[in-house]
Amino acid sequence: MTDTFGEFVDGYCCLTVFSRNNESREAFNKRLIDFWTFMLRNRESDYERVYAEATAFKPHGERLGREYLLEVEVADVLEAELKSAKLDHAPIDRDDLFSKYEASPPDWFQLEH
C-alpha cells in the first residue's frame, strides 16, 4: 500500500475468528493451529501476509474469538480458506486499517515469517 507520495504505508485489516458455541479454549486453539499449519504448508505466500496475532482469546457471548492483523490483499483468500475449514469469522472491514505499531506487545504477537 502506498500513500500519495509513493512511499510504503502499513495498513492491516483485522480478522476475528470465532470458536463454536461453548467450544473449549483448547479445542478451539487446536483448530486454529491446524488451520494456520495448513496455510503455512499449502499457501505460504498468503500466510506470510498475516502480520500479527492477538495474544489472548476474547469472549464473544458463548464463543471465543482470536484476532489477526493481515494485509488487505489476502483477506479474500483467508475468507475462502476459513470457510473451507469450517471456521467462523466476523466480516472483515477492509476500510478499517491498522498500522503495525498498533500490533505491539503485550497484546499482540508479531508472526515470524
Side-chain angles (χ1 to χ4, degrees), residues 16-20 22-36 56-58 60 63-68 82 86-88:
T16 303
V17 182
F18 297 119
S19 69
R20 296 178 179 128
N22 299 312
E23 181 177 25
S24 72
R25 182 185 183 281
E26 293 77 22
F28 179 43
N29 194 48
K30 181 184 181 321
R31 290 193 315 125
L32 288 173
I33 290 168
D34 291 346
F35 175 76
W36 292 114
F57 291 97
K58 291 184 180 177
H60 293 267
R63 304 168 106 184
L64 294 173
R66 186 49 118 7
E67 295 177 322
Y68 300 88
L82 287 164
K86 297 184 175 141
L87 281 162
D88 292 340

Side-chain angles (χ1 to χ4, degrees), residues 76-93:
D76 291 341
V77 168
L78 284 174
E79 284 180 324
E81 292 296 345
L82 287 164
K83 182 177 181 178
S84 180
K86 297 184 175 141
L87 281 162
D88 292 340
H89 63 88
I92 299 173
D93 185 347

Side-chain angles (χ1 to χ4, degrees), residues 30-68:
K30 181 184 181 321
R31 290 193 315 125
L32 288 173
I33 290 168
D34 291 346
F35 175 76
W36 292 114
T37 300
F38 167 83
M39 290 296 295
L40 180 60
R41 290 183 180 158
N42 296 285
R43 301 195 68 125
E44 184 177 0
S45 63
D46 294 320
Y47 173 80
E48 290 175 351
R49 299 178 91 176
V50 179
Y51 179 70
E53 176 182 47
T55 56
F57 291 97
K58 291 184 180 177
H60 293 267
E62 295 180 8
R63 304 168 106 184
L64 294 173
R66 186 49 118 7
E67 295 177 322
Y68 300 88

